[in-house]
Amino acid sequence: MELRPFDEILEEYEIRHLWNRYKECSEDKPYHGYEHTRYVVRTCDWLLSGVDYSLQKLYLIVAAMWHDAGHRGMDDKENINTAIWLMNDNCGYPSIPLGFLARIIKDTQFPYSGEPKTVLGMFLRDADLCQTYHWGLEETTKRLKAGGDYEGM
């Protein structure tokens, strides 16, 4: 699987300003940090490569960028609510329906309660999980523990 460079995606969709806003309001943690966010954005871009719906792809990429914003630890419902609040407060992009992006982000809430509610949420959830497979379980666990995101390890 060959992922496109992150900066190329930001340029294509003219969303570098959103990335800069994201970094202003979200700290770089060992797991739920900038590297993870870039990986999830790049994976979402790859999952929809060849799809001609550039607006849907933009929505997915922006949701991927904000899905872990402000992540604080184990209470994922709180993490999701924080991410949505930060996105709503910082994502001033007129053509993006923030309510729809919030539904996509909610599909990543762990533990999962059934199937994702949106197709784009399914792609985001899969991309979010791909980081674990990319790093491997040992490295993922080490990073989660270092960031205080993994209870009982």
Side-chain angles (χ1 to χ4, degrees), residues 63-94:
M65 183 182 295
W66 289 92
H67 84 282
D68 278 334
H71 199 285
R72 294 186 192 140
M74 286 306 296
D75 183 353
D76 213 35
K77 184 174 183 173
E78 180 183 323
N79 293 329
I80 295 293
N81 289 335
T82 299
I84 291 169
W85 181 83
L86 287 169
M87 179 188 67
N88 286 335
D89 200 45
N90 290 283
C91 192
Y93 203 94

Side-chain angles (χ1 to χ4, degrees), residues 94-127:
S95 65
I96 295 178
L98 296 176
F100 180 60
L101 268 60
R103 287 198 336 243
I104 296 169
I105 290 171
K106 284 180 181 179
D107 282 332
T108 67
Q109 183 174 321
F110 190 82
Y112 306 127
S113 57
E115 292 298 314
K117 307 282 187 277
T118 65
V119 172
L120 294 180
M122 176 183 64
F123 284 119
L124 180 54
R125 183 188 288 182
D126 289 349

Side-chain angles (χ1 to χ4, degrees), residues 23-60:
K23 290 193 305 184
E24 288 172 9
C25 66
S26 194
E27 66 181 283
D28 193 13
K29 296 183 82 173
Y31 184 87
H32 292 102
Y34 304 155
E35 182 179 1
H36 172 67
T37 300
R38 285 190 298 265
Y39 185 87
V40 173
V41 166
R42 294 173 68 216
T43 302
C44 285
D45 174 70
W46 179 81
L47 286 170
L48 289 186
S49 61
V51 174
D52 224 8
Y53 304 108
S54 60
L55 198 54
Q56 297 293 319
K57 200 169 177 181
L58 171 66
Y59 296 163
L60 179 60

